[in-house]
Each structure stands twice: as C-alpha cells, then as structure tokens.
C-alpha cells in the first residue's frame, strides 16, 4: 500500500519536475532572446505558473519523505538517545502516540537484525480497513531486501520480515505480529491498550501528546489597509487560526501575527484625499465607513490629476519623516480599516495581534545597512537587489527601489530578522496564497546568506489555492463584483437558518438555541469546507455543498455529535456517573464494532502530531469523518440502552455509553482545533 503510494508520488514528482523544467527552459529562452518580453503579462503568468509547479514539487518531495519516514518523526538512531519503551500498560497516559511507539520498537528490531545497513528504512503505516491485516503494518522488509541485494547478500522479503519479527522486543501494546504476503508485518494492537486509553480519556479528558515546547511565529490573515479583505485573506484567516489552535494545544508558545499591509506609497494619495475631503479630520471623525470607495476615488485622482499626484508623493515624504499631522491622518485611515477587519474576526472567533509593515520601519533601515555592510547588495539600474544564491540563480529581491524607497521584500527581510533575533522564534510560519511561494523561498535563502537564519532553519510557507465560484471561475457576485466578506458571512447565516427551518428545527429549539445552531452551522460550514480540502488546491466555494448534511461536512459532523450526546441524555446517565464507573471498573470493549471505534479514537495524538508538522489540516477533518463513520457503524450494531415494549428503560450498557462519551470528547476537541463551535442541540 505504502509502496504503491510511494511509486505514485514518485511518478507525480517526475512529472512535476519535468513540467517545471520545461517552463523554466521556455522562460530562459524568452528572456534571453527577447528583452521586449520583460513586463509582458504572459511572462508574469509563466513565472507564476513556474512558482506554483515548484511548490507542488516541494510538496510532493515532502510527501515522499514523510511516506518513507512514517508520518511523524522517526525514532532516533543513536541507541543512547533512544526513548524508553513501554513495559506496563498502566503506565501509559491517554495522550500517547502509539505509532511513535511502534516506530521505536521496529527501529530497534531492524537495527539489531541488520546492524551493517546504514539508515535502513523504518516504515510503519495504517493497515487499512480489513482487520485481517492488523492495525498497523511495517513495510520495511521489501526495501531492506533490495538493499541487501545491492550488497550481494542473498535474501527475500519474507525472510527479512521473519528476521525483523524475531528481533522485535515484546511490548504490552502489541497482541501479535504476523508475516503476510510478500513480506508485510501485520501488527495487531492489544485490545487492553485501547481500553486503558479510553478510560484515561474519560477520567482526565483529551490531553495533548507531549512534545518539546517551541516558540512559533504564525503570520496569517494579513489584509491590506484601505483595500478589501478578500476571500484569499479569509482562507489565510481560517487556516492560520486552526494552525495556531493546534500548536497551542500542544503547549507551544505561539505568537499570532497580523502582518497588515499598512505602509507604502498608497498612503500618500489617501492622505492627500483626506485633507481635501475632510480638512477637520483631526478634531472630527470623518465618515469614511466605506474606505474602499474612498481608496478608489483617491486612486482615480492620482491617475488623472498630475497636481494631485505630486501632492500625494509629497505626503509620502512627510509621512515617512514622521510629520505628526500626516501620522495622525495615516493612523485614522488604519483605524477605520482595522475596525472593518475586526468585524470579521469577531464573527469567526479569531484572535490575532496587529503588527503591520509599519512596525518594521526603523528595522528596515537597520537591515538594509547590514546587508550593505555584508556586501550582499548589488546595483541594478539604480535599484539595490539581493540574490538568493551566489551564482545569481532565479530572481533577486529588490531591497531598495531606485527612488530610495523600500519594498515588500525589504519588509520581509526586516520581519524575519525581528522574528529570529527579537522574538526568539524557533519556527516561522507564513500563511498566504501559493502565488507567494517563490517570495518566501527567496526570503529564506537571503536570510541564510545574511546569517539571520541558520542553515538548518527554514521558513514554512503554508500555501493555499484560490477560491473559485461554482462556475469554476474566479469567485464573484452574479453582477461580476468582488464579494464582500461580510456579505458572504451574512449569506451563510441566512442559508444556515433556511436549512434548520427546512428540517423543522425551529419548532423544537428555543430561539436562543436556534440562533446558536445557526451561527455554529454558518461559520462552521465555511471554515470546514476550507479546511477539509487539501489547501494547496484551488477550491470551489459552494453553500449548497457545505450545508449538505451527508458526507464530509461540518453540518454532518455537528449533527453526529449532537446525536451522540443525546444517547446518554435519553438514558439519563450523567457524565459523573460514567466517570465514577470507569474509575471503579474501567471500560471493556467486546463487540467488534466497539473495538473498531475504540481503535480509531486511539489515533487522535498521531493525527495531531502529523498535522502540527506538515500543517495540512485536511487530515484532521478526514480523521473526524472517520470517527463519525465508525461511530455510525457501532451504533447500528450495538444498542446502548434496552427498552421494553412500553419504552421503559430495562437495561443500560455502561461500557457503550462510556465509548459514546469518549467519541464525543475527541470529536469536540477536533472541531475546536478547527475553530468550529459545537452545540448541544440543533
Ligand atoms: N498583506 C499580504 C497580502 O495581502 C500578505 C502578507 C503576508 N505576510 C508577510 N510577512 N509577507 O498578500
């Protein structure tokens, strides 16, 4: 299975590599042969395609690496640094990552079976749906047999698998291991581990798997002042918020930064226009609630009126030299914009700290000076540029424009320096559209050349595709205007209410409950639709699809959760009763559907660790969907409460109610990490 995936990935990588190379060659020819091509929009398109392909390539390469390492970090090769193995089930806490433990066990087995092999692959993956193949598989025997062949040692995968099996330390988490097929090692987990972990979840709640605490800077949302906050920023906001929640759940020290575009030449024209329209702006608050219209007007003047244009430039100079009147005007404009953004953040429950480009003003002077001193800047037609590598490959950063001004590039060099040196960050995450991938690769390369980043450090660009309408074209209103985010959220609210009324929920819920359900469904479905798709791909925004109550949607999961919660309510068994029962006698899994559901729940730490490292949130969504599917199967086959003909409760199966409670807790935590509010009734 993993092998097949690997092949597919490799094939796709080759294809992507080839495409990227073709485009690069094409570009090279064009640029070298025909200078008139510079500035041609087709060149921009090719460049941006090229960036996207390069990005896909990097993603595919990562996937291959992850596939061969297993999804989380592999066990350490140094025997002295090896983690201690579990010897007693009762010592396990509910937050343990079993995959990690299996990797440690097989690492030991493989290195002691084949001590002469350098870095033998330790691949553990999920076994898939058939319980015959166990819960996990170790697929190392095939590649190891190849490695041996290359050393002229005769072997076959089954024999290798048996050798590994013989060297695997006994572990209380494993019931048995079988060699199957071409040399797979099928690992069957011990049921008592599942029972123990489930009882921990009931007694102590959902705890994060232990990891080394890091200081992590997450740059997300980051709209631009006076310009619209568009659907791209909405994606960045939703994805960034969820990433922060997951990292904070793991106890990392997370700095959530809104890198607002609050500096630059556009402020010259905005201030000039403000002076004309509202000369009293310092004493009276001007009614510029529609800042975008105000921006459009000033842009029109700027383009058409030479005198205005000159004044606008003069305003920039005044602003940059700190003239208090101009600074006051600038602040006012930022404030109006910021209040608009806050409306979106409040509705979507986003917390973020503003630290716009202006914050780096003095820091930009410093970094430019340092880069000059390091002789890293080069003159190019009046500009100062910096290459990502010594041999001047690719495109350079523009650090100082020919008019002496700074750029987006300059601000991001100052930004990374601040995040490394002042903020003492250890991970640097940027959530923007895939189009900016090349920019961040270049910033990383230049930061390394300048000694800001160490060679083993990286910038993590969390890229995402564009939002498309149902017609697969750029997302627009029917009349062709760009969609205002507030209007989009309002429409979500309206549609969510329609859906609830359609299902007759307005007749059973109180007005307060109905409102809560409406908001949970509306914002939950918008977030989930975004997060449940692989973020690299473009995604089609469709209220009809996201409000469907079947399939992998927020509505489905929210309903599933309320249904689970209602089971114990109907049985009139309180959570306290369940917990004290667990403390007395633990939890027993007997039916095959119970065991299956229990084993899915155990994987929560594994999923969280994977997502926290690759920052692909759709795996968490898929996992939640898997839990609710396993739950449906369990609930179809196993009744929790037995009633007589008159509907009187005659028997309560407490172990099953405990399993319901554990399921609900994992689902609630998962949804919370995605930024989705749950409701007890809907
Ligand atoms: N304001 C930018 C935009 O709207 C995003 C900023 C991302 N962060 C950064 N450090 N460059 O595209």
């Amino acid at each position: 299975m993993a092998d097949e995936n690997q092949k597919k990935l490799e094939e796709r990588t080759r294809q992507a590599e080839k495409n990227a190379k073709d485009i690069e060659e094409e570009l090279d020819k064009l640029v070298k042969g025909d200078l008139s091509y510079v500035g041609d929009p087709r060149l921009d398109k090719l460049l941006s395609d090229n960036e996207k392909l390069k990005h896909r390539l990097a993603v595919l390469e990562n996937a291959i690496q992850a596939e061969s390492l297993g999804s989380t970090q592999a066990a350490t090769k140094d025997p002295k640094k090896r983690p201690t193995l579990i010897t007693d089930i009762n010592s396990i806490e509910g937050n343990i990552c079993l995959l990690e433990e299996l990797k440690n066990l097989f690492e030991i087995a493989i290195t002691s079976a084949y001590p002469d092999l350098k870095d033998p692959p330790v691949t553990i993956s999920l076994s898939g749906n058939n319980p015959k193949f166990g819960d996990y598989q170790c697929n190392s025997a095939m590649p190891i047999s190849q490695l041996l062949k290359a050393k002229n040692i005769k072997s076959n995968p089954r024999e290798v698998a048996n050798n590994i099996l013989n060297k695997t330390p006994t572990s209380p988490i494993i019931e048995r291991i079988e060699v199957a097929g071409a040399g797979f090692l099928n690992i069957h987990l011990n049921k008592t581990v599942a029972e123990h972990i489930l009882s921990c979840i009931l007694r102590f709640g959902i705890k994060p798997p232990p990891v080394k605490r890091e200081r992590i800077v997450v740059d997300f949302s980051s709209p631009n002042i006076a310009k619209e906050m568009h659907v791209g920023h909405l994606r960045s906001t939703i994805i960034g918020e969820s990433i922060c929640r997951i990292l904070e759940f793991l106890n990392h020290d997370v700095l959530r930064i809104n890198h607002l575009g609050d500096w630059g030449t556009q402020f010259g024209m905005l201030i000039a226009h403000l002076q004309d329209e509202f000369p009293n702006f310092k004493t009276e608050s001007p009614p510029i609630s529609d800042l975008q219209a105000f921006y459009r007007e000033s842009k029109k003047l700027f383009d058409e009126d030479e005198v205005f244009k000159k004044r606008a430039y003069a305003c920039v100079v005044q602003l940059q030299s700190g003239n208090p009147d101009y600074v006051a005007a600038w602040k006012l404009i930022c404030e109006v914009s910021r209040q608009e953004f806050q409306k979106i953040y409040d509705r979507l429950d986003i917390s973020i700290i503003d630290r716009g480009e202006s914050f780096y003003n003095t820091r930009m002077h410093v970094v430019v000076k340092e880069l000059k001193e390091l002789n890293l800047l080069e003159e190019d037609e009046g500009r100062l540029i910096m290459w990502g590598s010594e041999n001047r490959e690719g495109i350079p950063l523009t650090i100082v424009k020919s008019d002496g001004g700074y750029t987006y590039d300059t601000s991001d060099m100052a930004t990374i320096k601040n995040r490394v040196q002042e903020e003492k960050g250890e991970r640097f995450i940027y959530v923007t559209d895939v189009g900016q991938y090349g920019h961040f690769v270049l910033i990383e390369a230049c930061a390394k050349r300048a000694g800001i980043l160490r060679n083993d450090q990286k910038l993590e660009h969390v890229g995402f595709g564009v939002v498309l309408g149902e017609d697969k074209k750029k997302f627009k209103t029917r009349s062709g205007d760009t969609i205002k985010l507030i209007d989009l959220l309002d429409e979500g609210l309206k549609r969510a209410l329609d859906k609830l009324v359609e299902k007759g929920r307005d007749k059973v819920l109180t007005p307060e409950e109905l409102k809560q359900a409406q908001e949970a469904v509306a914002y939950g479905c918008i977030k989930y639709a975004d997060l449940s798709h692989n973020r690299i791909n473009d995604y089609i925004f469709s209220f009809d699809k996201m409000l469907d109550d079947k399939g992998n949607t927020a509505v489905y999961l929210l309903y599933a959760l309320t249904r689970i919660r209602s089971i114990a309510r109907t049985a009139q068994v309180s959570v306290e009763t369940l917990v004290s029962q667990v403390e007395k006698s633990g939890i027993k899994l007997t039916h095959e559907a119970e065991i299956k559901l229990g084993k899915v729940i155990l994987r929560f730490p594994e999923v969280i660790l994977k997502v926290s490292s690759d920052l692909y949130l759709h795996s968490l969504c898929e996992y939640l969907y898997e839990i609710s599917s396993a739950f449906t199967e369990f609930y179809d086959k196993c009744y929790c409460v037995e009633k007589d003909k008159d509907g009187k409760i005659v028997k309560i199966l407490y172990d099953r109610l405990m399993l319901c409670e554990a399921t609900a807790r994992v689902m609630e935590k998962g949804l919370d990490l995605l930024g989705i509010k749950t409701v007890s009734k809907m």
Side-chain angles (χ1 to χ4, degrees):
M1 188 49 208
D3 236 30
E4 227 171 74
N5 282 346
Q6 176 116 3
K7 271 208 199 96
K8 266 191 225 149
L9 279 169
E10 274 167 4
E11 179 47 40
R12 280 162 61 192
T13 312
R14 265 196 296 280
Q15 199 56 44
E17 238 161 8
K18 193 177 164 304
N19 290 349
K21 217 171 141 252
D22 286 353
I23 291 190
E24 205 136 23
E25 271 169 18
E26 194 67 13
L27 277 171
D28 211 44
K29 270 191 250 156
L30 285 169
V31 178
K32 275 196 196 122
D34 180 6
L35 277 178
S36 67
Y37 219 81
V38 176
D40 187 313
R42 283 173 298 168
L43 180 64
D44 288 342
K45 164 110 187 27
L46 282 171
L47 279 170
S48 119
D49 284 354
N50 193 29
E51 286 312 332
K52 283 190 194 152
L53 282 166
K54 276 194 200 157
H55 187 253
R56 280 209 69 86
L57 188 63
V59 170
L60 288 167
E61 279 168 358
N62 271 340
I64 289 180
Q65 211 185 9
E67 188 87 11
S68 61
L69 273 178
S71 48
T72 48
Q73 305 103 314
T76 159
K77 304 261 148 126
D78 180 352
K80 275 179 276 158
K81 287 198 202 127
R82 239 171 229 156
T84 40
L85 294 174
I86 296 167
T87 50
D88 172 13
I89 286 189
N90 291 315
S91 70
I92 300 179
E93 290 177 47
N95 56 358
I96 183 172
C97 176
L98 294 175
L99 176 63
E100 205 80 3
E101 180 71 6
L102 292 175
K103 278 182 198 157
N104 294 340
L105 285 164
F106 279 87
E107 168 98 52
I108 295 173
I110 291 169
T111 44
S112 55
Y114 297 99
D116 297 335
L117 282 186
K118 203 176 154 278
D119 290 333
V122 181
T123 28
I124 313 275
S125 58
L126 276 176
S127 283
N129 246 334
N130 191 342
K132 210 173 87 189
F133 301 126
D135 300 299
Y136 291 91
Q137 283 185 339
C138 171
N139 302 332
S140 298
M142 286 69 86
I144 289 178
S145 163
Q146 292 293 327
L147 289 176
L148 293 171
K149 263 188 210 134
K151 291 178 139 213
N152 280 328
I153 303 170
K154 254 182 79 184
S155 83
N156 69 61
R158 273 193 82 94
E159 181 190 305
V160 174
N162 276 304
N163 286 342
I164 297 174
L165 179 60
N166 288 335
K167 295 283 183 192
T168 309
T170 47
S171 165
I173 73 162
I174 297 175
E175 184 198 85
R176 66 197 146 89
I177 305 172
E178 291 157 348
V179 175
F184 297 100
L185 287 149
N186 293 339
I187 308 161
H188 298 256
L189 292 180
N190 207 335
K191 191 181 70 164
T192 44
V193 176
E195 292 169 341
H196 175 78
I197 293 180
L198 289 170
S199 80
C200 288
I201 292 180
L202 264 93
R203 291 167 62 199
F204 314 118
I206 309 283
K207 293 266 184 302
V211 292
K212 189 181 151 279
R213 183 179 163 88
E214 283 181 312
R215 173 121 169 113
I216 307 177
V217 185
V218 185
D219 178 319
F220 71 107
S221 194
S222 306
N224 303 313
I225 299 289
K227 294 191 193 161
E228 63 174 329
M229 183 173 178
H230 54 70
V231 277
H233 295 122
L234 180 67
R235 290 206 79 180
S236 174
T237 309
I238 291 171
I239 296 171
E241 172 70 30
S242 179
I243 288 178
C244 292
R245 285 177 183 231
I246 289 169
L247 297 173
E248 282 158 5
F249 172 61
L250 290 170
N251 286 317
H252 290 301
D253 176 10
V254 179
L255 183 59
R256 298 157 164 255
I257 287 192
N258 203 0
H259 191 83
L260 294 163
D262 65 353
W263 202 243
T265 39
Q266 86 256 31
F267 283 97
M269 58 188 207
L270 281 163
I271 294 173
H273 195 41
L274 186 73
Q275 289 170 334
D276 293 346
E277 292 294 305
F278 307 106
N280 298 336
F281 70 86
K282 277 181 69 190
T283 46
E284 266 169 64
S285 193
I288 36 170
S289 60
D290 194 351
L291 200 54
Q292 272 151 51
F294 190 80
Y295 178 84
R296 277 195 299 274
E297 286 160 26
S298 52
K299 176 90 175 74
K300 194 161 182 277
L301 285 168
F302 184 85
D303 290 339
E304 290 168 4
D305 181 343
E306 271 308 310
V307 183
F308 182 86
K309 193 172 183 164
K310 277 213 181 88
R311 237 183 69 226
Y313 278 126
C315 288
V316 179
V317 177
Q318 288 299 321
L319 175 65
Q320 289 186 344
S321 58
N323 180 323
D325 282 358
Y326 290 79
V327 171
W330 166 74
K331 276 203 177 133
L332 188 125
I333 292 164
C334 290
E335 189 46 37
V336 176
S337 242
R338 192 54 187 78
Q339 276 166 14
E340 286 303 300
F341 301 153
Q342 192 56 42
K343 286 184 193 154
I344 309 272
Y345 297 147
D346 286 344
R347 290 219 204 173
L348 297 178
D349 198 14
I350 307 295
S351 41
I352 193 161
I353 295 169
D354 286 344
R355 190 181 281 180
E357 292 172 10
S358 63
F359 172 86
Y360 302 96
N361 262 337
T362 46
R363 290 171 177 84
M364 285 197 277
H365 297 310
V366 176
V367 86
V368 170
K369 189 169 156 267
E370 281 176 7
L371 295 177
K372 275 184 191 154
E373 281 163 8
L374 289 166
N375 274 328
L376 290 170
L377 300 186
E378 188 175 300
E379 229 191 276
D380 176 71
E381 294 176 10
R383 323 176 287 160
L384 290 180
I385 57 168
M386 176 171 179
W387 296 93
S389 69
E390 268 168 52
N391 37 16
R392 301 198 176 113
E393 274 161 13
I395 345 166
L397 289 180
T398 299
I399 299 291
V400 184
K401 289 191 292 186
S402 50
D403 65 2
Y406 296 149
T407 69
Y408 190 55
D409 296 347
T410 331
S411 84
D412 267 323
M413 285 303 283
T415 302
I416 184 65
K417 185 172 152 66
N418 163 260
R419 293 178 188 177
V420 174
Q421 297 173 358
E422 293 178 70
E423 292 300 343
K424 309 268 185 275
E426 291 159 279
R427 251 180 109 173
F428 312 97
I429 295 171
Y430 297 78
V431 189
T432 80
D433 61 292
V434 283
Q436 296 197 34
Y437 171 71
H439 168 74
F440 289 108
V441 169
L442 201 49
I443 294 287
E444 177 187 291
C446 290
K448 283 184 180 166
R449 288 194 72 199
I452 295 169
L453 281 177
R454 291 191 313 265
N455 267 334
D456 61 323
Q457 285 179 307
K458 53 181 181 175
L459 290 195
E460 291 175 72
H461 180 240
V462 173
F464 52 80
V466 290
V467 183
L468 303 173
E470 285 179 84
D471 54 1
K472 301 207 173 129
K473 295 207 185 91
K474 213 172 159 216
F475 195 43
K476 289 228 155 90
T477 62
R478 284 216 182 93
S479 58
D481 295 330
T482 46
I483 292 170
K484 279 211 172 113
L485 288 192
I486 279 287
D487 297 346
L488 191 76
L489 299 186
D490 282 341
E491 184 172 350
L493 282 176
K494 190 187 148 295
R495 297 250 204 158
L497 186 62
D498 291 350
K499 186 88 192 176
L500 289 162
V501 170
E502 181 192 307
K503 293 186 141 256
R505 306 313 294 160
D506 51 330
K507 303 202 177 63
V508 268
L509 300 177
T510 65
E512 184 54 26
E513 284 169 345
L514 186 66
K515 186 166 174 274
Q516 274 176 8
Q518 180 193 11
E519 287 178 2
V521 168
Y523 304 142
C525 80
I526 294 175
K527 290 180 178 181
Y528 194 82
D530 195 322
L531 299 170
S532 58
H533 291 90
N534 183 327
R535 59 175 162 77
I536 283 303
N537 299 332
D538 293 349
Y539 113 92
I540 298 170
F541 193 99
S542 155
F543 274 122
D544 289 335
K545 284 221 180 70
M546 58 179 85
L547 284 165
D548 197 346
D549 50 19
K550 288 176 281 303
N552 188 8
T553 66
V555 185
Y556 171 78
L557 291 176
L558 289 171
Y559 265 122
L561 185 60
T562 52
R563 224 171 291 134
I564 301 173
R565 284 272 175 235
S566 74
I567 297 169
R569 250 203 322 267
T570 332
Q572 293 176 333
V573 177
S574 70
V575 178
E576 292 74 35
T577 315
L578 285 178
V579 174
S580 69
Q581 279 270 354
V582 170
E583 273 161 1
K584 259 190 269 151
S585 47
I587 168 171
K588 286 270 162 300
L589 302 174
T590 25
H591 194 284
E592 130 280 303
E594 294 171 11
I595 300 172
K596 188 169 168 193
L597 173 59
K599 284 181 174 171
V600 178
I601 295 176
L602 299 191
R603 281 187 11 239
F604 184 68
E606 167 187 326
V607 173
I608 295 299
L609 288 178
K610 174 174 163 16
V611 173
S612 73
S613 103
D614 66 17
L615 308 175
Y616 279 95
L617 298 150
H618 66 281
S619 9
L620 177 54
C621 299
E622 274 162 17
Y623 173 70
L624 291 179
Y625 186 58
E626 196 184 332
I627 298 183
S628 68
S629 310
F631 183 84
T632 308
E633 195 183 324
F634 152 78
Y635 199 56
D636 277 351
K637 293 181 180 161
C638 308
Y639 56 87
C640 298
V641 177
E642 211 177 296
K643 292 182 182 168
D644 65 11
K645 302 195 288 305
D646 309 325
K648 217 175 110 239
I649 297 172
V650 288
K651 190 175 169 195
I652 293 174
L653 289 100
Y654 282 95
D655 291 293
R656 290 183 178 169
L657 287 185
M658 293 170 195
L659 192 51
C660 291
E661 176 66 23
T663 309
R665 288 192 188 179
V666 175
M667 285 185 68
E668 262 166 8
K669 183 42 102 187
L671 287 167
D672 175 54
L673 294 178
L674 296 172
I676 295 173
K677 286 211 173 101
T678 57
V679 280
S680 53
K681 279 191 189 168
M682 68 180 249

